[in-house]
Amino acid sequence: MATEDDGHDVPPVDTVPPQAAGPVTRMATAAYVRALAGQGVRSSAVRLPRTNHGEGDKGFVASLIGTARARGVAGYYGDGTNRWPAVHRLDSARMFRLAPEKAPAGATLHAVSDEGVALRDIAEVIGRHLDVPTAAVAPQEAAGHFGWLTPVLAADQPASSVLSRELTSWEPVEPGLLDDLDKGHYFRQA
């Protein structure tokens, strides 16, 4: 379970493979922002989870739905137990508002509502809405099935927001990922 205390050791960008340069750059930016607290700036870094869902989302969930439409199956990686942390877009917006108001300078915050939603559960909702079967995709076949989304699906990345909630009094009020998917807006086609 990732917490707000994790991920503060930033490796030099020139020591990581190219595919890790983006995340390392984000870590370095967050470290810089947190360090501004030492100069009297009320700064904080808000981390968003894998999925920041809600009406109009064009991210990972929408991509997974597009793959299910194209392939005719709502697939999940391996046994489907890998987890995505998630938050509704309106709840994450409230965290961004609360961060400068309530968090101590230099804080790292997690805007996480669902600590970890199993990929199989996500695929089952997608399959039900698209009326396609739900099936496991073996890790060795995942790149051919999911394409660029494979590394995202292969990682089990639950995350906690316990400390963030204590520091800011933030409480998510919007639907969780599975309930939001069940509302149907992800499945409307233009």
Side-chain angles (χ1 to χ4, degrees), residues 10 16 22 40 49 52 71 84 87 108 117 126 132 137 177 190:
V10 183
V16 298
N52 198 26
R71 304 261 182 221
W84 272 357
V87 68
T108 297
V117 181
I126 292 170
V132 298
V137 177
L177 176 57

Side-chain angles (χ1 to χ4, degrees), residues 98-164:
L98 289 169
E101 292 176 8
K102 295 192 172 187
T108 297
L109 304 169
H110 281 185
V112 173
S113 177
D114 293 321
E115 289 185 342
V117 181
L119 292 176
R120 182 180 188 143
D121 294 341
I122 296 169
E124 287 173 354
V125 174
I126 292 170
R128 187 171 63 250
H129 279 270
L130 295 180
D131 196 26
V132 298
T134 302
V137 177
Q140 62 272 21
E141 298 169 5
H145 184 89
F146 297 112
W148 66 269
L149 198 53
T150 302
V152 175
L153 296 169
D156 182 37
Q157 295 187 321
S160 169
S161 62
V162 171
L163 180 59
S164 299

Side-chain angles (χ1 to χ4, degrees), residues 58-73:
K58 304 288 187 228
F60 294 139
V61 172
S63 296
L64 197 54
I65 291 168
T67 299
R69 274 196 174 102
R71 304 261 182 221
V73 61

Side-chain angles (χ1 to χ4, degrees), residues 155-178:
D156 182 37
Q157 295 187 321
S160 169
S161 62
V162 171
L163 180 59
S164 299
R165 292 174 193 229
E166 289 173 7
L167 292 174
T168 65
S169 301
W170 176 73
E171 285 299 327
V173 297
E174 300 298 330
L177 176 57
L178 297 178

Side-chain angles (χ1 to χ4, degrees), residues 36-56:
L36 291 173
Q39 299 175 28
V41 176
R42 190 173 171 101
S43 61
S44 60
V46 177
R47 294 175 180 161
L48 294 173
R50 178 71 68 195
T51 300
N52 198 26
H53 60 89
E55 188 135 10

Side-chain angles (χ1 to χ4, degrees), residues 13 16-26 151:
V13 174
V16 298
Q19 64 271 24
V24 170
T25 300
R26 285 190 300 278

